[in-house]
Structure formats: structure tokens, C-alpha cells
Amino acid sequence: MNRFLNFGVALALSAGMTVAHAATSYDVVTTWYEPDTQPNNTIFTGSFDYDAATRTVTNLQGQLSESMTGMMGGGMTWLSLDHQLVSWYDAALGGTFAAAFRNASTNTFWTGAGGNGWSPASGVAAGGVYYGFPSAGNNPGNAYALIFIPDDPLAALTQAQINKLAYADCAAGGMMGAVCMTGTSVAGYGAEGTMSGYPLSQTITAAVPEPETWGLMLAGLTAIGAIARRRRAI
Amino acid sequence: MPAPTPLAPIRVEGARDESPVGVTTLPSSALDALRSSSSDTARLLEGIPGVSTYGAGGISSLPSIRGLADERLKITVDGMDLMSACPNHMNPALSLIDPSKVETVAVYAGITPVSEGGDSIGGAIQIRSARPKFAASDNETLTEAKVGTFFRSNGNARGHSVDLSIASTQLSVRYSESASESDNYRTAGDFKKEGFWKQLGQRPVAEREVASSGYAGSKNREVGLGLAWSSNSVLHLTYSEQKLDYQGFPNQRMDMIFSRPDPANPGNYVIAENTPSNVNRTINLRYLGQHAWGELEARLFRQTVAHHMDLNQDRFFGMFMPMKSDASTLGGLLKASIPLSPEHLLRIGTDFQQYRLDDWWPPIGLAPGAMCCDDFQNIRNGKRDRIGVFTELETGWNAAWLTLFGIRGGLVHSDADRVQGYSNFYAADAARFNQRDRSRNDTHLDLTALVRYTPDARQSYEAGIARKTRSPSLYERYPWSTFPMAALMNNFVGDGNAYLGNPHLKPEVAYTASASAHWHDEGKERWDFKLSGHATYVDDYIDAQRCPRALSAQCNALNSNADDRYVILQYVNQRAMLQGVDLSGSTLIAQHADIGKLYLNGMASYVDGRNLSTGDKLYHIMPLNAKIALEHRSQRWTNTLEVHSVSAKDEVSRVRNEVQTPGYTLLNLRSSFAWKNGRLDLALENALNKFYLLPLGGAYLGQGNSMTTAGIPWGMSVPGRARSLNVALNLSF
């Protein structure tokens, strides 16, 4: 029983370590230049886990600035984007897209013009108008940031990859009448954002593990070491 | 030989040309045909050489004289110096009087005598409605009634007018009203760029429909009271009101339309149907008296304007941006004309104008952002007060020579209070504006010297030089936000760009020289030819520059360098030169006792305008244009075949990214039949259904998301009308 318990704990901890090994954590900062709201830009600052073997992105979440709410000296509103609802691999661009949403739904843009209601192309086609248009009461106030993770996550993005970064903000402080604030590029989606915003840069850095992560890893290593010693003793 | 039969003496009067130097007048009879073609009073002026009109709403064009337009002109309606109270000049003076009311038009296309007004540099336009009439004898009552109606097929424009008057020898009462409306007009070809931007309205807008060009519920009413207590003194009091439910502006980012909070949706607005978006009221009191020492004219008037703007639903379904302005003007004039001797006539007087303006934009939405949560104050407690004094000496040295010398001094004081934006997002711009001293005092000195030489009954020559001053308007000095959406809403020139005010602007000072020659037959019936040349140098001309980078981060390199998009501009003093020629003439080419007379009429205008400080061309200069008309007149019929040619506009203002327009030629056919009590006008305008772009029509912004610089593609001009069949019937009793 004792052996079984020890084995179970070790398995669980080592499984955790296996995940930690396969999916590395990263931090990301993506910036869209906003000519109309200078000096405030739209910035997404977040984190995600990336499995290089399967090229999958998980746990993308972060904060999106609302540049129209910004006071010149600070005080800008930030939206929490906690729901990673979409992700796909783009072989041509050599990397993985992922988008984190404010709501637990992708409903963002008006679907009267067709489209899936959230993708940047869909937003451009809909003139950046919110989902549920024309009733303002039906606007779910969604927002998202679409980032791109190259095959080598720490590699600098090419211009072609930057062109495909996008965001949308249909929450109250990011609205101008019925129009959401969006950021897209002409090269990527055929039009700049609704307030002329376009993607400027994205920086991905390896995440520095938090203290509890270090502790968990240490505990796992200790457990594995202990099991190994007992196995040799047996 | 029978005794000769005595004949009653026949008195023949001959006198030198008494009309003021440099003026062109159009009597009511000359306006009849023009009234049938437009409900826009400014367009009545288009037949005068050198005069053209800026495109705007259906009844709100802005006149331009020899390249100088809008507030550079002294425009009066029944003597009132009326002010536009709108950041987009949607309610200019001439929009406040219906064409059916216009009795006479006088245009100083050259140099305006100082007695006709100051604070302008480009000329003067004087529109008058009928003056009160009185019965000829005590036992007579004068009654008159006029009714009129019209229909124009393009845009389904329709309207009517009624004018009633009754008078004794001492009292005259008059009532008039008119109403008109129009749907959007159509053009003869496609002119819109591709994109989803044009599908954002509440309904589909056809490719050849000019969105936001219609208007509805335009109503003018006036009550006039005339009192003549002697044969030499008349007091005239009128009360006028103009209401307009809605007017679209295809070259503006807003429309004249009333919106109000949506009770079902807090924080949102809805369009208020059938509610006047613009209410203009005037009270005008005028005294004119002939005294032993000369003539005295006194006037006091007051104008109030309540003006509302928002986005009509041609542009964008469900998006709102309420903008409001309230303004009042108090003005007056005291002018004496004193014959010092048979040769010398002295005019001396003073005039004043006190203008107040509040321009604010209620918030939209419930969270801090672009348009929430306080009133945006575009101009708060704006003031522009002016006073002038003038003296002028007109001397008829003999039958051939007449001179006119004048001097006018003036003071203009303008100011505006501290402002705020919708939210703290605007705090830095507002703080920069609020920290400035915004009070300005301008001193004006105007000088004119005119001479007319009439050697005989077949020729006359006029020449003049002048120094004229104009102070900046409140909308040139005080709009303060560099946020593009806010700056885009300040644009009275219709080019689609965003404009910032400049409190440091100095008054424009123009130096003009003009000369004209007029040759004709003695009776001015068989032939007539007039040639005018003019040149104006303007010091501190108010042009635009890309907003300085030091001003705001939004005034960036992209804004400075872009040549194919809408940009942020700021008014700035520079130097400018305008010069050109105007030609007009007519000749009788055939006549027959049974068929009538056949005339060939023509006119042509050319003006070149350039900014001497930058080398750029001035904005909105009408290219070379000409009209040639074959006119047949018999007793009751007047038939006209008119060819109107405009050359390509390829000299454009680069700083404003003005768009070039190709040349075009239009054919217009007009016919009228007049009898004792009526007149029927028929016209086929643009008879060949030619597609053309208006050189002064401005940027096409009539549909799509107009609130950002990138919401509507740059590069489209407002097109002209496709063929239209116009009918107008006027009866008098």
C-alpha cells in the first residue's frame, strides 16, 4: 500500500513535470499602433503555454488596453481576456495563431454581412460593427487579441506574420457608436482598423517560473529520487 | 394752313449711370427661370460672371466670388448680416431665405464700397425680398397675392410658396410662406469606390444615388409690417422664421438632423422624426427717411439659431453623434447720405454686430471612451463683436467721370471660454487650450478708391483699388481637439479633412486691384460686352497646414506626408494671390416681327489662386468655365438652349489632398411662358444626361462610417445631377 501510494504520488508529480516539459510557458506583448489615440496604443500583455511538439497553444490570457479611454498621463482601462477559444496552425506562415477573448464566446462582430462573427476578416467586412447590431442592448461587449507564435516562439516575427495580428474591442469603452475599435493591417486583411490602428510589433519571451512552480518541480524531483532509491533497495 | 396742334410736352430724362460702381444686379424678372431649377438661393447667383457655389446640402450652398468664399464675403439678407452657427456651415445666410422670396440680387464681384459693409475681403452679396408697397391714394386698398409651385424630377423635389399683402397709403401688411423638400438626387454614372463601407446604412443606397443629398420639411414664414407716416419716411418691421426638419450633406461627415436620448436604451440616441433640426428666427426693423439734408437709414436686427446635427441613416444605421449649437446675433446700422453739393454725395455711418455661440456635443454611451461621459464643448460662450465706422465720398465730376473714395475703421473682439472633452481622454488638449489667452482684439482699416469713366453712351470703364480686412471666425480660431473624430466634425469647406482652430490667427488683409470695360450699343439691346480683370494679394490669408508635430502625437509623420487620405489640418496665416478675368456679353443675331428675337449670350470666368508662402494652389478654385446660350424671346415665350462647359480641375490644393475633377460640358434647355397673371417654366437640365463631378462639390462622404479618417475611402468627389425635368408655375392676382 505504501509502495502504491508512493508510486501514485510520484506518477502524479512526474506527470506534472512531463506537461511542464512539453508545454513551455511564455509571456507576450503585442502592440497595435493607434494614430487616432496617440500617444496611447492598444497593447495586449499576456501569457500562454506552448507545446513545441504538437504546436498547440493553451492557457492564452492577458490584458488588453483601451486606448480611447486613456488619459494622457495614465489611467487607461484594461480588459481581461481570459478565454482562449480559438487556435490553429498556419503552415504557410510557419506558426500558430491563438486568440484570447473577454467573454466565453467568440460572438464579437455583426454577422449581418456574413462571416463567423469574430475573425478579423469578418470584422472588416462588417465595418467593425458589434455583434447583435442594431440593438445596443444585444452587444455582448466582447473583445479579443489574436496573436501569432512562430515555430520558434522566441524568434522575431516577420512582417508577414505581424500583418496578421489583430484585435477587436466591442466593450463599452472601446466603442464609437455602433463601431468597435479594431486593429488590422491592409496587407493582412485589406483594411486598417476602424480607428486606423494596425499591428506594430509582438514580443514573446520565456516565462520566468513562479515560486510555486519551482516548488512543485522540486517536490516532483524529490519524489522521483526517493522512488528510485527504494526500487534500487528492493 | 391749320394752326399747329399743340402736343403735350414730352420729358426726356438722361443721366449718367447711377448704379454703384462694381455692382451687378439681377431683378426679379431675371431670377424667375433660375428659381424653377433650384431651391438653393445661392445658386441664383451662378449666372453672374465670377460667381460660383461650393457644394453642400440641398439648400445650403456657399457662394464664392473670384475664388473667395463663405465668410470672406459680406452676405446680407434684407440688410441683415446673418451668421452661420455650425462648425460645418450648414446654415449659411443664403439658406435662410427661400428663392421664391428673393426680389433682387446685387453682387459686388469687384471692390465693395466701404458703405456696404466691412469685415470681408472678397466682395458682397445683397439679397432683398420685396419692400413694402403702399396704396397710391387714400380711397384705395392695395391687395396682392402670389402663389407658386414647382416639381423637379431628379430627386423628386417639390414645393410651394404663397405671398399675400394688403396695404393702404400708410400701412402695409404682408405674409409669406414657402415649403420645399427633396429626396436624394441621382447622378448619371457610377462614382463610388468598392467596399463594404457603402453598405452600412439603414437601407441600400443605389450606386448612382448621392446619399445624404435630400432634405425635408424646409419651411419659411415671414410677417412684414410697413408704416409710411409721410411720403418720405418708411418703417419696416419683419419677423421671419425658417425651420427645417432634415438636410443631408454629401460632402460633410454630419447632417442637419435632430436626435434625442433613447428612453428604451440609456446612453443611446435615436433620430427624432419630423422635429426641426434647424430653427432660425430674425426680427428686422428698418427705417428709411428722406430729409431735407439727405437720406437716413437705420436698422436693428436680431437673429437666433438653434441647430442640431447627427448622422442620418444613409450613412450608418444605429450610430449617433449628437452635436448642437445655439447662436444669437444682434446687429445694427446707421447710415446717412448727405448731398454736399450737386456733385458730391457724402455717406457716413456706423454698423455693429454682436454674435454669441455655444457649440456642444452631448455624450453617448455609458462607459468612458470616445464619446462619454460629459458634454464635449467645441466652442463655449464664443463671442465675436464688431463695430465699424465709415465715410465715403461719391463725386460725379461731370457726365463722364465718377469717383468714390471711402475709409472704414473697425474693431473685432473675439473670445471663448474654457472647454472640456467627453472624458479625461481629451484632458491634455483641453488643458492646452484652456491655458491660453483666448481673447483677441483686431483692428481693421479699409480703404477704397473707385473710378468710373463713361465717355459716351456706348462704353464705360471702371477701375479700383482697395485694402480690406477680415477677422478670423470663431470656427477658425477656437476648435481645439486634435482627436481626429472631434476635429473631423469641424469642416466648413467640405474636403473631408479634420480641422483645428488657431487662436493666434491674425486678420486677413487683402489688397485688390480691378478694372473692367463695358462696351454696348446705346440702348444696351443689340449687343453688349464686358471684360473684367482682377488681382488680389492677401496678407495673412487663412489657409491650412498639416497639424504641427509638436502639437500632438496625432499630428505624426503619416499625417504630414500622406497624399491619398484624409488628414488633420490647422488654420494658419500665409500669403495668397488670386487673379483672373471675367467675360460676359450678348448679341442680337436675328429678329423677325412674327418670330421674335434671337440672342446669343455668353460668359466665362477664370481665376488662379495660389499660396505664395508654400507654392501650393488654393483650395476650391473654380476652373475655367463658360456658358453660351442661344435665347429666343417673343412676346410671351422665352426659350433658351444653354451649353455649360467647365475645364478639368487639375490644379488642386496639395495640403488638403484635394481631388482633381475632369472637365465636362452640359446642355440645358429652358422654356417659359408668361402671361398677365402667371408664368410657367419648363426646363430640361443636363438634357444629354452627362456624368460629371462637381469641381467645388467637395469630397463624397454621404454614406459609410464618417467618424474616422479611414471609414470612407478618400478620392471620391461629389457628382453633379443627372437629367432632370423641372416644372414651375407661378400665379399672381
Side-chain angles (χ1 to χ4, degrees):
Chain A
M1 180 68 189
N2 210 11
R3 281 177 56 192
F4 180 76
L5 184 63
N6 285 339
F7 179 75
V9 171
L11 187 65
L13 291 173
S14 62
M17 277 192 61
T18 303
V19 170
H21 274 297
T24 309
S25 294
Y26 294 93
D27 292 330
V28 60
V29 177
T30 313
T31 303
W32 289 267
Y33 181 69
E34 299 288 357
D36 284 5
T37 62
Q38 285 297 298
N40 303 329
N41 285 324
T42 298
I43 300 167
F44 173 70
T45 172
S47 61
F48 60 90
D49 297 328
Y50 179 67
D51 184 334
T54 61
R55 292 164 173 158
T56 53
V57 178
T58 53
N59 297 327
L60 174 64
Q61 56 189 323
Q63 304 276 311
L64 183 73
S65 68
E66 291 194 293
S67 64
M68 275 200 295
T69 66
M71 303 172 203
M72 297 300 179
M76 205 183 308
T77 302
W78 291 80
L79 301 176
S80 291
L81 309 183
D82 297 330
H83 307 275
Q84 182 194 319
L85 301 180
V86 291
S87 178
W88 71 95
Y89 183 72
D90 187 319
L93 281 176
T96 307
F97 283 99
F101 287 76
R102 181 170 184 246
N103 297 343
S105 160
T106 58
N107 293 339
T108 307
F109 294 121
W110 181 48
T111 53
N116 59 9
W118 82 267
S119 69
S122 171
V124 168
V129 173
Y130 60 71
Y131 187 89
F133 178 80
S135 170
N138 291 339
N139 173 23
N142 210 356
Y144 71 78
L146 177 67
I147 67 165
F148 183 82
I149 300 101
D151 288 342
D152 174 5
L154 298 179
L157 266 58
T158 65
Q159 189 58 47
Q161 293 166 340
I162 289 174
N163 289 343
K164 285 292 189 178
L165 304 171
Y167 84 92
D169 180 2
C170 300
M175 295 285 297
M176 198 176 61
V179 176
C180 310
M181 194 150 173
T182 63
T184 49
S185 71
V186 174
Y189 300 103
E192 289 178 347
T194 49
M195 298 286 278
S196 308
Y198 56 86
L200 190 66
S201 65
Q202 179 180 276
T203 307
I204 296 174
T205 52
V208 177
E210 300 295 325
E212 58 269 27
T213 309
W214 283 114
L216 191 65
M217 285 176 66
L218 196 62
L221 287 170
T222 307
I224 289 170
I227 292 167
R229 281 188 59 155
R230 288 187 67 142
R231 279 183 175 164
R232 276 202 299 273
I234 290 168
Chain B
M1 185 177 176
T5 305
L7 294 173
I10 298 172
R11 188 173 164 192
V12 179
E13 292 186 349
R16 62 173 181 262
D17 187 351
E18 295 288 355
S19 63
V21 180
V23 73
T24 303
T25 55
L26 298 178
S28 184
S29 57
L31 301 171
D32 287 333
L34 301 170
R35 287 193 190 99
S36 71
S37 296
S38 176
S39 298
D40 186 347
T41 296
R43 293 191 61 196
L44 298 179
L45 311 170
E46 287 181 338
I48 297 174
V51 180
S52 46
T53 54
Y54 273 34
I59 62 167
S60 296
S61 294
L62 300 166
S64 173
I65 299 177
R66 295 175 172 175
L68 296 169
D70 202 1
E71 289 181 333
R72 293 190 169 104
L73 307 178
K74 178 59 57 187
I75 300 174
T76 57
V77 175
D78 284 330
M80 295 181 288
D81 189 358
L82 302 178
M83 297 288 281
S84 179
C86 169
N88 300 302
H89 286 193
M90 291 178 175
N91 46 19
L94 295 184
S95 73
L96 305 176
I97 182 169
D98 188 81
S100 65
K101 282 276 295 172
V102 177
E103 190 75 7
T104 61
V105 170
V107 174
Y108 289 91
I111 293 168
T112 311
V114 294
S115 60
E116 302 297 335
D119 197 22
S120 72
I121 61 170
I125 296 171
Q126 298 169 345
I127 300 286
R128 289 193 187 281
S129 57
R131 293 187 171 174
K133 291 179 183 173
F134 296 94
S137 60
D138 286 339
N139 52 5
E140 184 185 340
T141 301
L142 181 72
T143 57
E144 281 187 352
K146 293 179 186 173
V147 293
T149 186
F150 71 87
F151 173 78
R152 295 187 281 274
S153 66
N154 192 343
N156 191 29
R158 60 274 181 199
H160 69 267
S161 61
V162 176
D163 191 309
L164 307 168
S165 60
I166 183 167
S168 67
T169 53
Q170 292 189 318
L171 183 66
S172 166
V173 180
R174 181 170 183 156
Y175 174 76
S176 64
E177 70 170 48
S178 58
S180 65
E181 57 190 331
S182 172
D183 303 335
N184 290 341
Y185 71 84
R186 299 180 313 280
T187 186
D190 296 344
F191 65 100
K192 301 173 189 174
K193 293 190 173 181
E194 289 305 314
F196 191 74
W197 62 275
K198 56 188 174 183
Q199 296 175 39
L200 293 171
Q202 190 166 9
R203 62 176 180 85
V205 179
E207 278 298 301
R208 296 187 177 186
E209 179 180 342
V210 179
S212 304
S213 62
Y215 67 99
S218 171
K219 291 175 189 152
N220 291 57
R221 292 187 292 182
E222 181 176 294
V223 181
L225 189 68
L227 189 63
W229 61 86
S230 76
S231 59
N232 295 324
S233 297
V234 178
L235 194 66
H236 190 199
L237 174 68
T238 56
Y239 171 75
S240 310
E241 180 183 89
Q242 189 229 31
K243 290 183 176 177
L244 189 143
D245 286 352
Y246 148 77
Q247 185 177 193
F249 285 76
N251 66 345
Q252 295 288 355
R253 294 175 178 276
M254 301 296 289
D255 301 291
M256 209 189 250
I257 192 166
F258 193 97
S259 60
R260 62 181 169 216
D262 181 1
N265 192 355
N268 199 18
Y269 266 61
V270 290
I271 297 299
E273 302 281 351
N274 303 319
T275 304
S277 60
N278 196 81
V279 180
N280 181 83
R281 295 189 173 101
T282 58
I283 297 176
N284 189 12
L285 179 65
R286 180 191 188 225
Y287 166 80
L288 186 64
Q290 302 287 343
H291 301 270
W293 51 266
E295 182 182 276
L296 179 67
E297 180 182 2
R299 179 186 304 282
L300 191 66
F301 72 91
R302 180 167 172 81
Q303 174 195 19
T304 59
V305 183
H307 174 62
H308 306 267
M309 286 190 291
D310 209 315
L311 304 157
N312 84 61
Q313 305 298 277
D314 275 5
R315 301 178 185 274
F316 206 110
F317 181 33
M319 187 157 78
F320 297 94
M321 183 176 183
M323 297 171 61
K324 300 178 185 296
S325 48
D326 279 344
S328 66
T329 305
L330 179 68
L333 166 77
L334 195 61
K335 180 161 83 174
S337 302
I338 306 165
L340 300 178
S341 70
E343 293 81 25
H344 299 293
L345 177 64
L346 177 72
R347 296 189 188 94
I348 186 166
T350 180
D351 53 13
F352 77 96
Q353 186 189 56
Q354 188 184 68
Y355 177 62
R356 298 287 181 272
L357 172 72
D358 255 315
D359 181 336
W360 78 102
W361 311 344
I364 284 278
L366 299 172
M371 295 194 289
C372 186
C373 299
D374 298 317
D375 280 344
F376 181 104
Q377 294 160 340
N378 193 38
I379 293 179
R380 183 163 165 248
N381 292 333
K383 298 174 188 169
R384 192 178 189 278
D385 296 340
R386 174 170 58 78
I387 188 163
V389 292
F390 59 87
T391 183
E392 189 175 85
L393 184 65
E394 180 178 319
T395 306
W397 299 99
N398 51 46
W401 287 95
L402 180 133
T403 60
L404 186 70
F405 297 101
I407 181 168
R408 168 185 274 267
L411 293 172
V412 176
H413 169 73
S414 63
D415 202 354
D417 278 357
R418 294 166 62 88
V419 296
Q420 66 179 27
Y422 288 109
S423 65
N424 277 335
F425 174 66
Y426 301 84
D429 272 357
R432 185 177 59 243
F433 180 83
N434 291 336
Q435 285 160 8
R436 280 179 180 150
D437 174 18
R438 300 173 297 279
S439 175
R440 294 289 181 273
N441 291 300
D442 305 324
T443 306
H444 291 192
L445 174 64
D446 290 2
L447 302 165
T448 55
L450 291 150
V451 59
R452 176 158 64 204
Y453 174 54
T454 313
D456 57 46
R458 288 177 297 175
Q459 56 188 323
S460 66
Y461 305 89
E462 293 181 0
I465 54 173
R467 178 195 201 269
K468 294 279 186 175
T469 321
R470 176 190 80 98
S471 280
S473 70
L474 297 183
Y475 282 114
E476 287 168 325
R477 272 194 167 140
Y478 296 124
W480 53 273
S481 175
T482 58
F483 183 51
M485 183 192 70
L488 285 170
M489 301 303 148
N490 287 286
N491 182 330
F492 49 80
V493 295
D495 63 3
N497 294 312
Y499 281 86
L500 297 172
N502 183 350
H504 302 300
L505 287 178
K506 292 183 279 190
E508 296 179 323
V509 180
Y511 301 88
T512 299
S514 69
S516 66
H518 192 184
W519 297 281
H520 47 81
D521 66 299
E522 289 192 23
K524 294 185 182 177
E525 288 196 346
R526 298 186 64 84
W527 68 278
D528 172 300
F529 180 72
K530 190 169 185 180
L531 167 66
S532 301
H534 56 91
T536 299
Y537 166 76
V538 188
D539 204 13
D540 288 324
Y541 180 86
I542 298 174
D543 206 329
Q545 64 181 1
R546 301 288 169 92
C547 64
R549 295 192 194 183
L551 190 64
S552 157
Q554 289 156 15
C555 304
N556 46 40
L558 173 67
N559 188 69
S560 298
N561 302 325
D563 60 4
D564 60 353
R565 60 187 300 152
Y566 297 114
V567 293
I568 309 172
L569 299 164
Q570 185 183 36
Y571 295 108
V572 64
N573 285 122
Q574 292 171 333
R575 294 177 299 115
M577 186 79 182
L578 300 103
Q579 49 199 334
V581 293
D582 299 322
L583 308 172
S584 62
S586 70
T587 180
L588 176 66
I589 55 176
Q591 66 176 325
H592 187 278
D594 297 329
I595 299 172
K597 296 177 178 176
L598 194 62
Y599 289 90
L600 185 66
N601 304 325
M603 56 168 273
S605 292
Y606 171 76
V607 63
D608 173 77
R610 64 184 65 225
N611 184 317
L612 300 179
S613 301
T614 64
D616 198 5
K617 290 292 182 178
L618 298 184
Y619 176 66
H620 252 10
I621 299 294
M622 185 70 180
L624 174 65
N625 63 97
K627 284 181 184 170
I628 297 176
L630 202 57
E631 183 178 292
H632 164 245
R633 288 185 219 159
S634 69
Q635 281 194 324
R636 292 185 169 180
W637 284 98
T638 303
N639 303 301
T640 308
L641 184 154
E642 179 188 81
V643 176
H644 183 198
S645 281
V646 178
S647 65
K649 183 180 178 65
D650 45 20
E651 293 189 331
V652 292
S653 166
R654 291 193 308 272
V655 71
R656 301 183 197 232
N657 286 345
E658 186 180 10
V659 177
Q660 296 185 344
T661 55
Y664 59 89
T665 297
L666 305 178
L667 175 66
N668 301 316
L669 305 173
R670 297 193 186 95
S671 189
S672 67
F673 181 74
W675 65 100
K676 183 183 176 188
N677 294 111
R679 177 185 167 99
L680 177 68
D681 283 279
L682 289 172
L684 191 62
E685 291 219 316
N686 193 2
L688 303 179
N689 206 30
K690 170 86 175 171
F691 174 75
Y692 63 107
L693 296 170
L694 294 164
L696 307 187
Y700 181 66
L701 303 163
Q703 59 191 113
N705 179 6
S706 61
M707 296 168 84
T708 86
T709 51
I712 300 170
W714 173 90
M716 297 179 289
S717 296
V718 174
R721 291 170 187 270
R723 181 190 295 127
S724 182
L725 177 64
N726 306 335
V727 184
L729 176 65
N730 287 282
L731 302 172
S732 58
F733 309 98

